[in-house]
Amino acid sequence: MNLTFNNQLLRKSQSLIALFLLCLLIALLSDKFLTTSNLWNVLRQISVNVCIAVGMTLVVLMAGIDLSVGSVLAFSGAICAGLIKFGFAFESLDLFVGFTVLGGILGAMLVGLLLGLFNGWVITRFVVPPFVATLAMLTIARGLTMLYTKGIPISNLGPGLEFIGSGWLLGIPVPVWISLIVVLVFVFISRKTAFGRYIYAIGGNEKAAFLSGININRIKLAVYGLAGMLAAIGGVLVTARLNSAQPNAGMTYELDAIAAVVIGGTSLSGGVGSVTGTVIGAAIIGVLNNGLVLLNVSPFWQQVAKGVVILLAVIIDKMNRKEA
Amino acid sequence: MINGLTVPVTFNILSNMKKSILYLIILLGLAACSSGGSGSEETKKVAVVISTLNNPWFVVLAESAAENARELGYEAKIFDSQNNPATESDNFENLIASGFDAILFNPTDADGSIVNIMKAKAAEVPVFCMDREVNADDAATSQILSDNYSGCVEIGIEFVKALDGRGKYVELLGLVGDNNTWARSGGFHSVVDEFPGLEMVAQQSADFDRNRAMEVMETILQAQPDIDAVFCGNDAMAMGAYQALQGAGKADAVKVFGFDGAADVIEKIGEGKIVATGMQYPKVMARTAAEYAHEYFNGRREFPQRVPVEVELVDAGNVDQYQE
């Protein structure tokens, strides 16, 4: 018991140590890194990936994957912008509904939730592998975004939404507040609730979880729904940040989210990992992106560097698990 | 034209007799089929094959090409190659097989797309390139091209004038694997590098993406707070860079330059917030290509291989001509 506890502690702290070393290295190479304005930039820039990656963590903990989050982000962001700017018209009823900023955000979250639930429904009802089901959603949601926006950005969405993207509250940028709340809520859910324990149980051994009476399909449905909703929150943040919904927003964001999850020590085979680990993983990616630009490293090398970091993280993780 | 077709075929026969004869038979069969299938009475079908629809600029190009073809009395259909020469190849095979009579083509790759055009040529389907060129003179029937390089030479001249030949600047590149990125960067540097007083303090990629440009610019401003200007490889990045400068309170001190002629950048030039952009004419290119296809159907066979469509510099002096 004591031994496993120590191992867990080591596993948890190892990504934290990696983050610390990376920060140290960049701080030694650039005196601009450890300034408050730069650190706020890093935190604000990772807030979108944190939201998506928290959802991805729950999915991966069940040994699933969600490739659709980048497209769901784009579609919900566009819905948020469209509802705020144009409202929604029920033509058959000759009824027009205008939306406040909050209404637009809730609408976007609902859309994200529905797309996520659809993923979950396809995966559980038709036993389609999550990789395939969410790959299909990746192109469906991107297509829906194109249909809704006609391929053209929706811009100038007013000061309310702009505040959410660029404003400050009690000395902290609003997007950082939002991602902080998301993290706290999901740390609580994953650690302290029965729902959270069921997620780990399904990822650890699906058959055993089923035999012990867990309604696996319902849990899966809920987790994919939540992942979609969190992607939608990311979509609101990106849209608010630019005060504009871009039809090509969120391209390859699913890969950054998966990278954050994996670097944070969550096993792709499920059952092992944590939301806090993912936050550290997202921070490592964010600091790396920031440092490479601060040091004006060539864009070609940046891609190589990011790949090498992901590889190192996974290899160290594997070696650790063998020792344990 | 006839010479152009027979030369490669004879060459093939010499190089590999059996295979080429087979190829010739298939080719003749196909040609017979396609000319038999598309009888003069039926409406001709025009395919618009576009490199990507995930970018508003290309959506405009694709849709105006299709609209122009429809206005001339043809059926038109848009195919999306998703920035992938392999998808493009599938698109070509499918549309040749389903009897399209002409292709208005926006290639994914200057070299990789040549083989696709050759397939269409073998099936006697004329191909008219729009915006992006392919590195071959005997493949497409005609190429109607936006001159990215010269356009950015103009921007470079304006850049040097605006800065009086002295100062520190940042360049935001587009996707590093895209030839437009390097044509634009090359045109710009061909002028700016002649002035030793102009120092490029950072050159980073922001993938033609507004959000990415904002993030990269925020980080660059940490390392290089005293810059005088930013040159961006497209207008989406110019908007993102401008927003980052605005957030840092430096929007008035730093001169921003873009490329494309997007509506939001034109608006900012009108307000005096962005200095200049290069106006490209996707609608002109699309119309010219559609008209060429129309003339081809009416018997014209001689077309200029390259038709340059000029990129016009838009700055405070002439912006009123471009505002709606």
mmCIF file with all atom_site columns, all heavy atoms in Angstrom, chain A residues 37 41 45 146 241-242 248 251 253 296-297 302, chain B residues 54 56 203-204 210-211 214-215 218-219 222 243:
data_model
loop_
_atom_site.group_PDB
_atom_site.id
_atom_site.type_symbol
_atom_site.label_atom_id
_atom_site.label_alt_id
_atom_site.label_comp_id
_atom_site.label_asym_id
_atom_site.label_entity_id
_atom_site.label_seq_id
_atom_site.pdbx_PDB_ins_code
_atom_site.Cartn_x
_atom_site.Cartn_y
_atom_site.Cartn_z
_atom_site.occupancy
_atom_site.B_iso_or_equiv
_atom_site.pdbx_formal_charge
_atom_site.auth_seq_id
_atom_site.auth_comp_id
_atom_site.auth_asym_id
_atom_site.auth_atom_id
_atom_site.pdbx_PDB_model_num
ATOM 1   N N   . SER A 1 37  ? 3.473   39.840 -16.895 1.00 0.00 ? 37  SER A N   1
ATOM 2   C CA  . SER A 1 37  ? 2.617   39.960 -18.083 1.00 0.00 ? 37  SER A CA  1
ATOM 3   C C   . SER A 1 37  ? 2.773   38.731 -18.982 1.00 0.00 ? 37  SER A C   1
ATOM 4   O O   . SER A 1 37  ? 1.802   38.244 -19.552 1.00 0.00 ? 37  SER A O   1
ATOM 5   C CB  . SER A 1 37  ? 2.937   41.239 -18.847 1.00 0.00 ? 37  SER A CB  1
ATOM 6   O OG  . SER A 1 37  ? 4.284   41.258 -19.242 1.00 0.00 ? 37  SER A OG  1
ATOM 7   N N   . ASN A 1 41  ? -0.083  35.925 -19.967 1.00 0.00 ? 41  ASN A N   1
ATOM 8   C CA  . ASN A 1 41  ? -0.309  35.530 -21.364 1.00 0.00 ? 41  ASN A CA  1
ATOM 9   C C   . ASN A 1 41  ? -0.374  34.015 -21.491 1.00 0.00 ? 41  ASN A C   1
ATOM 10  O O   . ASN A 1 41  ? -1.266  33.471 -22.134 1.00 0.00 ? 41  ASN A O   1
ATOM 11  C CB  . ASN A 1 41  ? 0.841   36.014 -22.250 1.00 0.00 ? 41  ASN A CB  1
ATOM 12  C CG  . ASN A 1 41  ? 0.609   37.420 -22.761 1.00 0.00 ? 41  ASN A CG  1
ATOM 13  O OD1 . ASN A 1 41  ? -0.493  37.938 -22.652 1.00 0.00 ? 41  ASN A OD1 1
ATOM 14  N ND2 . ASN A 1 41  ? 1.633   38.015 -23.318 1.00 0.00 ? 41  ASN A ND2 1
ATOM 15  N N   . GLN A 1 45  ? -3.499  31.935 -22.682 1.00 0.00 ? 45  GLN A N   1
ATOM 16  C CA  . GLN A 1 45  ? -3.427  31.160 -23.926 1.00 0.00 ? 45  GLN A CA  1
ATOM 17  C C   . GLN A 1 45  ? -3.734  29.682 -23.711 1.00 0.00 ? 45  GLN A C   1
ATOM 18  O O   . GLN A 1 45  ? -4.235  29.021 -24.609 1.00 0.00 ? 45  GLN A O   1
ATOM 19  C CB  . GLN A 1 45  ? -2.047  31.339 -24.566 1.00 0.00 ? 45  GLN A CB  1
ATOM 20  C CG  . GLN A 1 45  ? -1.878  32.738 -25.152 1.00 0.00 ? 45  GLN A CG  1
ATOM 21  C CD  . GLN A 1 45  ? -0.458  33.032 -25.602 1.00 0.00 ? 45  GLN A CD  1
ATOM 22  O OE1 . GLN A 1 45  ? 0.392   32.156 -25.605 1.00 0.00 ? 45  GLN A OE1 1
ATOM 23  N NE2 . GLN A 1 45  ? -0.202  34.259 -25.983 1.00 0.00 ? 45  GLN A NE2 1
ATOM 24  N N   . MET A 1 146 ? -19.322 25.306 -41.496 1.00 0.00 ? 146 MET A N   1
ATOM 25  C CA  . MET A 1 146 ? -19.243 25.956 -42.812 1.00 0.00 ? 146 MET A CA  1
ATOM 26  C C   . MET A 1 146 ? -20.643 26.343 -43.286 1.00 0.00 ? 146 MET A C   1
ATOM 27  O O   . MET A 1 146 ? -20.859 27.433 -43.823 1.00 0.00 ? 146 MET A O   1
ATOM 28  C CB  . MET A 1 146 ? -18.602 25.018 -43.837 1.00 0.00 ? 146 MET A CB  1
ATOM 29  C CG  . MET A 1 146 ? -17.151 24.737 -43.573 1.00 0.00 ? 146 MET A CG  1
ATOM 30  S SD  . MET A 1 146 ? -16.192 26.259 -43.683 1.00 0.00 ? 146 MET A SD  1
ATOM 31  C CE  . MET A 1 146 ? -14.802 25.826 -42.690 1.00 0.00 ? 146 MET A CE  1
ATOM 32  N N   . ARG A 1 241 ? -12.321 35.888 -27.378 1.00 0.00 ? 241 ARG A N   1
ATOM 33  C CA  . ARG A 1 241 ? -10.964 36.421 -27.429 1.00 0.00 ? 241 ARG A CA  1
ATOM 34  C C   . ARG A 1 241 ? -10.765 37.254 -28.694 1.00 0.00 ? 241 ARG A C   1
ATOM 35  O O   . ARG A 1 241 ? -10.157 38.307 -28.676 1.00 0.00 ? 241 ARG A O   1
ATOM 36  C CB  . ARG A 1 241 ? -10.015 35.236 -27.423 1.00 0.00 ? 241 ARG A CB  1
ATOM 37  C CG  . ARG A 1 241 ? -8.595  35.547 -27.245 1.00 0.00 ? 241 ARG A CG  1
ATOM 38  C CD  . ARG A 1 241 ? -8.219  35.539 -25.782 1.00 0.00 ? 241 ARG A CD  1
ATOM 39  N NE  . ARG A 1 241 ? -6.809  35.858 -25.687 1.00 0.00 ? 241 ARG A NE  1
ATOM 40  C CZ  . ARG A 1 241 ? -6.341  37.099 -25.596 1.00 0.00 ? 241 ARG A CZ  1
ATOM 41  N NH1 . ARG A 1 241 ? -7.163  38.108 -25.548 1.00 0.00 ? 241 ARG A NH1 1
ATOM 42  N NH2 . ARG A 1 241 ? -5.056  37.326 -25.540 1.00 0.00 ? 241 ARG A NH2 1
ATOM 43  N N   . LEU A 1 242 ? -11.282 36.735 -29.837 1.00 0.00 ? 242 LEU A N   1
ATOM 44  C CA  . LEU A 1 242 ? -11.109 37.424 -31.117 1.00 0.00 ? 242 LEU A CA  1
ATOM 45  C C   . LEU A 1 242 ? -12.252 38.387 -31.389 1.00 0.00 ? 242 LEU A C   1
ATOM 46  O O   . LEU A 1 242 ? -12.207 39.144 -32.348 1.00 0.00 ? 242 LEU A O   1
ATOM 47  C CB  . LEU A 1 242 ? -11.035 36.405 -32.253 1.00 0.00 ? 242 LEU A CB  1
ATOM 48  C CG  . LEU A 1 242 ? -9.860  35.434 -32.201 1.00 0.00 ? 242 LEU A CG  1
ATOM 49  C CD1 . LEU A 1 242 ? -10.008 34.374 -33.256 1.00 0.00 ? 242 LEU A CD1 1
ATOM 50  C CD2 . LEU A 1 242 ? -8.558  36.181 -32.391 1.00 0.00 ? 242 LEU A CD2 1
ATOM 51  N N   . ASN A 1 248 ? -12.656 28.409 -39.452 1.00 0.00 ? 248 ASN A N   1
ATOM 52  C CA  . ASN A 1 248 ? -11.586 27.410 -39.349 1.00 0.00 ? 248 ASN A CA  1
ATOM 53  C C   . ASN A 1 248 ? -10.957 27.379 -37.961 1.00 0.00 ? 248 ASN A C   1
ATOM 54  O O   . ASN A 1 248 ? -9.862  26.872 -37.789 1.00 0.00 ? 248 ASN A O   1
ATOM 55  C CB  . ASN A 1 248 ? -10.523 27.637 -40.422 1.00 0.00 ? 248 ASN A CB  1
ATOM 56  C CG  . ASN A 1 248 ? -9.919  29.026 -40.342 1.00 0.00 ? 248 ASN A CG  1
ATOM 57  O OD1 . ASN A 1 248 ? -10.446 29.873 -39.628 1.00 0.00 ? 248 ASN A OD1 1
ATOM 58  N ND2 . ASN A 1 248 ? -8.831  29.257 -41.036 1.00 0.00 ? 248 ASN A ND2 1
ATOM 59  N N   . MET A 1 251 ? -8.858  24.047 -35.535 1.00 0.00 ? 251 MET A N   1
ATOM 60  C CA  . MET A 1 251 ? -8.210  23.004 -36.330 1.00 0.00 ? 251 MET A CA  1
ATOM 61  C C   . MET A 1 251 ? -7.070  22.384 -35.532 1.00 0.00 ? 251 MET A C   1
ATOM 62  O O   . MET A 1 251 ? -6.248  23.120 -34.986 1.00 0.00 ? 251 MET A O   1
ATOM 63  C CB  . MET A 1 251 ? -7.596  23.617 -37.593 1.00 0.00 ? 251 MET A CB  1
ATOM 64  C CG  . MET A 1 251 ? -8.624  24.069 -38.560 1.00 0.00 ? 251 MET A CG  1
ATOM 65  S SD  . MET A 1 251 ? -9.049  22.670 -39.580 1.00 0.00 ? 251 MET A SD  1
ATOM 66  C CE  . MET A 1 251 ? -9.756  23.526 -40.946 1.00 0.00 ? 251 MET A CE  1
ATOM 67  N N   . TYR A 1 253 ? -6.963  21.208 -32.694 1.00 0.00 ? 253 TYR A N   1
ATOM 68  C CA  . TYR A 1 253 ? -6.966  21.398 -31.237 1.00 0.00 ? 253 TYR A CA  1
ATOM 69  C C   . TYR A 1 253 ? -7.118  20.062 -30.513 1.00 0.00 ? 253 TYR A C   1
ATOM 70  O O   . TYR A 1 253 ? -6.682  19.923 -29.382 1.00 0.00 ? 253 TYR A O   1
ATOM 71  C CB  . TYR A 1 253 ? -8.093  22.348 -30.803 1.00 0.00 ? 253 TYR A CB  1
ATOM 72  C CG  . TYR A 1 253 ? -7.775  23.817 -30.993 1.00 0.00 ? 253 TYR A CG  1
ATOM 73  C CD1 . TYR A 1 253 ? -6.804  24.242 -31.893 1.00 0.00 ? 253 TYR A CD1 1
ATOM 74  C CD2 . TYR A 1 253 ? -8.426  24.787 -30.244 1.00 0.00 ? 253 TYR A CD2 1
ATOM 75  C CE1 . TYR A 1 253 ? -6.524  25.588 -32.059 1.00 0.00 ? 253 TYR A CE1 1
ATOM 76  C CE2 . TYR A 1 253 ? -8.141  26.139 -30.398 1.00 0.00 ? 253 TYR A CE2 1
ATOM 77  C CZ  . TYR A 1 253 ? -7.206  26.533 -31.310 1.00 0.00 ? 253 TYR A CZ  1
ATOM 78  O OH  . TYR A 1 253 ? -6.921  27.870 -31.467 1.00 0.00 ? 253 TYR A OH  1
ATOM 79  N N   . ASN A 1 296 ? 12.567  32.973 -30.388 1.00 0.00 ? 296 ASN A N   1
ATOM 80  C CA  . ASN A 1 296 ? 12.554  33.102 -31.844 1.00 0.00 ? 296 ASN A CA  1
ATOM 81  C C   . ASN A 1 296 ? 13.141  31.883 -32.553 1.00 0.00 ? 296 ASN A C   1
ATOM 82  O O   . ASN A 1 296 ? 13.911  31.993 -33.505 1.00 0.00 ? 296 ASN A O   1
ATOM 83  C CB  . ASN A 1 296 ? 13.276  34.382 -32.274 1.00 0.00 ? 296 ASN A CB  1
ATOM 84  C CG  . ASN A 1 296 ? 12.892  34.796 -33.686 1.00 0.00 ? 296 ASN A CG  1
ATOM 85  O OD1 . ASN A 1 296 ? 11.823  34.409 -34.190 1.00 0.00 ? 296 ASN A OD1 1
ATOM 86  N ND2 . ASN A 1 296 ? 13.754  35.549 -34.349 1.00 0.00 ? 296 ASN A ND2 1
ATOM 87  N N   . VAL A 1 297 ? 12.764  30.689 -32.066 1.00 0.00 ? 297 VAL A N   1
ATOM 88  C CA  . VAL A 1 297 ? 13.192  29.444 -32.707 1.00 0.00 ? 297 VAL A CA  1
ATOM 89  C C   . VAL A 1 297 ? 12.459  29.308 -34.041 1.00 0.00 ? 297 VAL A C   1
ATOM 90  O O   . VAL A 1 297 ? 11.292  29.686 -34.151 1.00 0.00 ? 297 VAL A O   1
ATOM 91  C CB  . VAL A 1 297 ? 12.864  28.242 -31.791 1.00 0.00 ? 297 VAL A CB  1
ATOM 92  C CG1 . VAL A 1 297 ? 13.162  26.923 -32.480 1.00 0.00 ? 297 VAL A CG1 1
ATOM 93  C CG2 . VAL A 1 297 ? 13.624  28.353 -30.491 1.00 0.00 ? 297 VAL A CG2 1
ATOM 94  N N   . GLN A 1 302 ? 10.202  24.206 -34.216 1.00 0.00 ? 302 GLN A N   1
ATOM 95  C CA  . GLN A 1 302 ? 9.192   24.191 -33.161 1.00 0.00 ? 302 GLN A CA  1
ATOM 96  C C   . GLN A 1 302 ? 8.347   22.926 -33.224 1.00 0.00 ? 302 GLN A C   1
ATOM 97  O O   . GLN A 1 302 ? 8.040   22.315 -32.210 1.00 0.00 ? 302 GLN A O   1
ATOM 98  C CB  . GLN A 1 302 ? 8.284   25.411 -33.286 1.00 0.00 ? 302 GLN A CB  1
ATOM 99  C CG  . GLN A 1 302 ? 8.999   26.697 -32.938 1.00 0.00 ? 302 GLN A CG  1
ATOM 100 C CD  . GLN A 1 302 ? 8.061   27.877 -32.907 1.00 0.00 ? 302 GLN A CD  1
ATOM 101 O OE1 . GLN A 1 302 ? 6.859   27.721 -32.782 1.00 0.00 ? 302 GLN A OE1 1
ATOM 102 N NE2 . GLN A 1 302 ? 8.615   29.058 -32.999 1.00 0.00 ? 302 GLN A NE2 1
ATOM 103 N N   . ASN B 2 54  ? -11.841 25.616 -45.951 1.00 0.00 ? 54  ASN B N   1
ATOM 104 C CA  . ASN B 2 54  ? -11.710 26.036 -44.555 1.00 0.00 ? 54  ASN B CA  1
ATOM 105 C C   . ASN B 2 54  ? -11.094 27.419 -44.422 1.00 0.00 ? 54  ASN B C   1
ATOM 106 O O   . ASN B 2 54  ? -10.379 27.699 -43.481 1.00 0.00 ? 54  ASN B O   1
ATOM 107 C CB  . ASN B 2 54  ? -10.857 25.037 -43.774 1.00 0.00 ? 54  ASN B CB  1
ATOM 108 C CG  . ASN B 2 54  ? -11.689 23.843 -43.369 1.00 0.00 ? 54  ASN B CG  1
ATOM 109 O OD1 . ASN B 2 54  ? -12.898 23.958 -43.222 1.00 0.00 ? 54  ASN B OD1 1
ATOM 110 N ND2 . ASN B 2 54  ? -11.049 22.707 -43.213 1.00 0.00 ? 54  ASN B ND2 1
ATOM 111 N N   . PRO B 2 56  ? -12.175 31.549 -45.608 1.00 0.00 ? 56  PRO B N   1
ATOM 112 C CA  . PRO B 2 56  ? -13.180 32.367 -46.295 1.00 0.00 ? 56  PRO B CA  1
ATOM 113 C C   . PRO B 2 56  ? -12.754 32.804 -47.691 1.00 0.00 ? 56  PRO B C   1
ATOM 114 O O   . PRO B 2 56  ? -13.578 32.873 -48.602 1.00 0.00 ? 56  PRO B O   1
ATOM 115 C CB  . PRO B 2 56  ? -13.323 33.591 -45.398 1.00 0.00 ? 56  PRO B CB  1
ATOM 116 C CG  . PRO B 2 56  ? -12.697 33.252 -44.105 1.00 0.00 ? 56  PRO B CG  1
ATOM 117 C CD  . PRO B 2 56  ? -11.807 32.073 -44.292 1.00 0.00 ? 56  PRO B CD  1
ATOM 118 N N   . GLN B 2 203 ? 10.767  36.209 -36.605 1.00 0.00 ? 203 GLN B N   1
ATOM 119 C CA  . GLN B 2 203 ? 10.027  35.673 -37.747 1.00 0.00 ? 203 GLN B CA  1
ATOM 120 C C   . GLN B 2 203 ? 9.384   34.384 -37.277 1.00 0.00 ? 203 GLN B C   1
ATOM 121 O O   . GLN B 2 203 ? 10.083  33.425 -36.956 1.00 0.00 ? 203 GLN B O   1
ATOM 122 C CB  . GLN B 2 203 ? 10.973  35.401 -38.920 1.00 0.00 ? 203 GLN B CB  1
ATOM 123 C CG  . GLN B 2 203 ? 10.230  34.906 -40.159 1.00 0.00 ? 203 GLN B CG  1
ATOM 124 C CD  . GLN B 2 203 ? 11.166  34.496 -41.267 1.00 0.00 ? 203 GLN B CD  1
ATOM 125 O OE1 . GLN B 2 203 ? 12.170  33.833 -41.023 1.00 0.00 ? 203 GLN B OE1 1
ATOM 126 N NE2 . GLN B 2 203 ? 10.849  34.863 -42.500 1.00 0.00 ? 203 GLN B NE2 1
ATOM 127 N N   . GLN B 2 204 ? 8.058   34.389 -37.162 1.00 0.00 ? 204 GLN B N   1
ATOM 128 C CA  . GLN B 2 204 ? 7.353   33.230 -36.612 1.00 0.00 ? 204 GLN B CA  1
ATOM 129 C C   . GLN B 2 204 ? 6.170   32.877 -37.492 1.00 0.00 ? 204 GLN B C   1
ATOM 130 O O   . GLN B 2 204 ? 5.644   33.722 -38.201 1.00 0.00 ? 204 GLN B O   1
ATOM 131 C CB  . GLN B 2 204 ? 6.861   33.557 -35.199 1.00 0.00 ? 204 GLN B CB  1
ATOM 132 C CG  . GLN B 2 204 ? 7.972   33.628 -34.156 1.00 0.00 ? 204 GLN B CG  1
ATOM 133 C CD  . GLN B 2 204 ? 8.612   32.270 -33.900 1.00 0.00 ? 204 GLN B CD  1
ATOM 134 O OE1 . GLN B 2 204 ? 7.935   31.244 -33.946 1.00 0.00 ? 204 GLN B OE1 1
ATOM 135 N NE2 . GLN B 2 204 ? 9.911   32.248 -33.662 1.00 0.00 ? 204 GLN B NE2 1
ATOM 136 N N   . ARG B 2 210 ? -6.105  33.546 -37.268 1.00 0.00 ? 210 ARG B N   1
ATOM 137 C CA  . ARG B 2 210 ? -6.228  34.784 -36.497 1.00 0.00 ? 210 ARG B CA  1
ATOM 138 C C   . ARG B 2 210 ? -5.901  34.580 -35.016 1.00 0.00 ? 210 ARG B C   1
ATOM 139 O O   . ARG B 2 210 ? -5.175  35.362 -34.416 1.00 0.00 ? 210 ARG B O   1
ATOM 140 C CB  . ARG B 2 210 ? -7.656  35.309 -36.657 1.00 0.00 ? 210 ARG B CB  1
ATOM 141 C CG  . ARG B 2 210 ? -7.907  36.625 -35.967 1.00 0.00 ? 210 ARG B CG  1
ATOM 142 C CD  . ARG B 2 210 ? -9.122  37.278 -36.602 1.00 0.00 ? 210 ARG B CD  1
ATOM 143 N NE  . ARG B 2 210 ? -9.690  38.299 -35.762 1.00 0.00 ? 210 ARG B NE  1
ATOM 144 C CZ  . ARG B 2 210 ? -10.732 39.039 -36.136 1.00 0.00 ? 210 ARG B CZ  1
ATOM 145 N NH1 . ARG B 2 210 ? -11.301 38.840 -37.303 1.00 0.00 ? 210 ARG B NH1 1
ATOM 146 N NH2 . ARG B 2 210 ? -11.211 39.957 -35.340 1.00 0.00 ? 210 ARG B NH2 1
ATOM 147 N N   . ASN B 2 211 ? -6.436  33.513 -34.431 1.00 0.00 ? 211 ASN B N   1
ATOM 148 C CA  . ASN B 2 211 ? -6.201  33.268 -33.011 1.00 0.00 ? 211 ASN B CA  1
ATOM 149 C C   . ASN B 2 211 ? -4.726  32.981 -32.740 1.00 0.00 ? 211 ASN B C   1
ATOM 150 O O   . ASN B 2 211 ? -4.128  33.499 -31.801 1.00 0.00 ? 211 ASN B O   1
ATOM 151 C CB  . ASN B 2 211 ? -7.064  32.088 -32.540 1.00 0.00 ? 211 ASN B CB  1
ATOM 152 C CG  . ASN B 2 211 ? -7.046  31.925 -31.040 1.00 0.00 ? 211 ASN B CG  1
ATOM 153 O OD1 . ASN B 2 211 ? -7.130  32.897 -30.302 1.00 0.00 ? 211 ASN B OD1 1
ATOM 154 N ND2 . ASN B 2 211 ? -6.887  30.701 -30.587 1.00 0.00 ? 211 ASN B ND2 1
ATOM 155 N N   . MET B 2 214 ? -2.700  36.111 -32.875 1.00 0.00 ? 214 MET B N   1
ATOM 156 C CA  . MET B 2 214 ? -2.844  36.915 -31.666 1.00 0.00 ? 214 MET B CA  1
ATOM 157 C C   . MET B 2 214 ? -1.935  36.372 -30.567 1.00 0.00 ? 214 MET B C   1
ATOM 158 O O   . MET B 2 214 ? -1.215  37.121 -29.908 1.00 0.00 ? 214 MET B O   1
ATOM 159 C CB  . MET B 2 214 ? -4.303  36.878 -31.219 1.00 0.00 ? 214 MET B CB  1
ATOM 160 C CG  . MET B 2 214 ? -4.611  37.823 -30.092 1.00 0.00 ? 214 MET B CG  1
ATOM 161 S SD  . MET B 2 214 ? -6.375  37.756 -29.768 1.00 0.00 ? 214 MET B SD  1
ATOM 162 C CE  . MET B 2 214 ? -6.526  39.036 -28.562 1.00 0.00 ? 214 MET B CE  1
ATOM 163 N N   . GLU B 2 215 ? -1.947  35.048 -30.386 1.00 0.00 ? 215 GLU B N   1
ATOM 164 C CA  . GLU B 2 215 ? -1.129  34.435 -29.333 1.00 0.00 ? 215 GLU B CA  1
ATOM 165 C C   . GLU B 2 215 ? 0.362   34.633 -29.599 1.00 0.00 ? 215 GLU B C   1
ATOM 166 O O   . GLU B 2 215 ? 1.125   34.996 -28.704 1.00 0.00 ? 215 GLU B O   1
ATOM 167 C CB  . GLU B 2 215 ? -1.443  32.939 -29.226 1.00 0.00 ? 215 GLU B CB  1
ATOM 168 C CG  . GLU B 2 215 ? -2.829  32.661 -28.693 1.00 0.00 ? 215 GLU B CG  1
ATOM 169 C CD  . GLU B 2 215 ? -3.109  31.180 -28.523 1.00 0.00 ? 215 GLU B CD  1
ATOM 170 O OE1 . GLU B 2 215 ? -2.208  30.353 -28.789 1.00 0.00 ? 215 GLU B OE1 1
ATOM 171 O OE2 . GLU B 2 215 ? -4.245  30.861 -28.125 1.00 0.00 ? 215 GLU B OE2 1
ATOM 172 N N   . GLU B 2 218 ? 1.343   38.213 -29.007 1.00 0.00 ? 218 GLU B N   1
ATOM 173 C CA  . GLU B 2 218 ? 1.408   38.521 -27.572 1.00 0.00 ? 218 GLU B CA  1
ATOM 174 C C   . GLU B 2 218 ? 2.754   38.090 -26.998 1.00 0.00 ? 218 GLU B C   1
ATOM 175 O O   . GLU B 2 218 ? 3.385   38.807 -26.221 1.00 0.00 ? 218 GLU B O   1
ATOM 176 C CB  . GLU B 2 218 ? 0.292   37.783 -26.811 1.00 0.00 ? 218 GLU B CB  1
ATOM 177 C CG  . GLU B 2 218 ? -1.074  38.413 -26.941 1.00 0.00 ? 218 GLU B CG  1
ATOM 178 C CD  . GLU B 2 218 ? -2.175  37.550 -26.332 1.00 0.00 ? 218 GLU B CD  1
ATOM 179 O OE1 . GLU B 2 218 ? -1.935  36.366 -26.030 1.00 0.00 ? 218 GLU B OE1 1
ATOM 180 O OE2 . GLU B 2 218 ? -3.284  38.058 -26.160 1.00 0.00 ? 218 GLU B OE2 1
ATOM 181 N N   . THR B 2 219 ? 3.186   36.906 -27.397 1.00 0.00 ? 219 THR B N   1
ATOM 182 C CA  . THR B 2 219 ? 4.447   36.382 -26.875 1.00 0.00 ? 219 THR B CA  1
ATOM 183 C C   . THR B 2 219 ? 5.635   37.160 -27.430 1.00 0.00 ? 219 THR B C   1
ATOM 184 O O   . THR B 2 219 ? 6.563   37.506 -26.690 1.00 0.00 ? 219 THR B O   1
ATOM 185 C CB  . THR B 2 219 ? 4.570   34.896 -27.224 1.00 0.00 ? 219 THR B CB  1
ATOM 186 O OG1 . THR B 2 219 ? 3.411   34.224 -26.745 1.00 0.00 ? 219 THR B OG1 1
ATOM 187 C CG2 . THR B 2 219 ? 5.805   34.284 -26.597 1.00 0.00 ? 219 THR B CG2 1
ATOM 188 N N   . GLN B 2 222 ? 6.392   40.263 -25.656 1.00 0.00 ? 222 GLN B N   1
ATOM 189 C CA  . GLN B 2 222 ? 7.114   40.113 -24.385 1.00 0.00 ? 222 GLN B CA  1
ATOM 190 C C   . GLN B 2 222 ? 8.617   40.193 -24.625 1.00 0.00 ? 222 GLN B C   1
ATOM 191 O O   . GLN B 2 222 ? 9.345   40.826 -23.874 1.00 0.00 ? 222 GLN B O   1
ATOM 192 C CB  . GLN B 2 222 ? 6.770   38.771 -23.731 1.00 0.00 ? 222 GLN B CB  1
ATOM 193 C CG  . GLN B 2 222 ? 5.317   38.617 -23.346 1.00 0.00 ? 222 GLN B CG  1
ATOM 194 C CD  . GLN B 2 222 ? 4.898   39.612 -22.288 1.00 0.00 ? 222 GLN B CD  1
ATOM 195 O OE1 . GLN B 2 222 ? 5.688   39.987 -21.427 1.00 0.00 ? 222 GLN B OE1 1
ATOM 196 N NE2 . GLN B 2 222 ? 3.656   40.065 -22.361 1.00 0.00 ? 222 GLN B NE2 1
ATOM 197 N N   . GLN B 2 243 ? -5.001  42.906 -32.881 1.00 0.00 ? 243 GLN B N   1
ATOM 198 C CA  . GLN B 2 243 ? -5.695  42.745 -31.594 1.00 0.00 ? 243 GLN B CA  1
ATOM 199 C C   . GLN B 2 243 ? -4.705  42.563 -30.446 1.00 0.00 ? 243 GLN B C   1
ATOM 200 O O   . GLN B 2 243 ? -4.919  43.067 -29.346 1.00 0.00 ? 243 GLN B O   1
ATOM 201 C CB  . GLN B 2 243 ? -6.667  41.569 -31.658 1.00 0.00 ? 243 GLN B CB  1
ATOM 202 C CG  . GLN B 2 243 ? -7.943  41.940 -32.396 1.00 0.00 ? 243 GLN B CG  1
ATOM 203 C CD  . GLN B 2 243 ? -8.929  40.790 -32.426 1.00 0.00 ? 243 GLN B CD  1
ATOM 204 O OE1 . GLN B 2 243 ? -8.653  39.745 -33.003 1.00 0.00 ? 243 GLN B OE1 1
ATOM 205 N NE2 . GLN B 2 243 ? -10.068 40.965 -31.805 1.00 0.00 ? 243 GLN B NE2 1
#
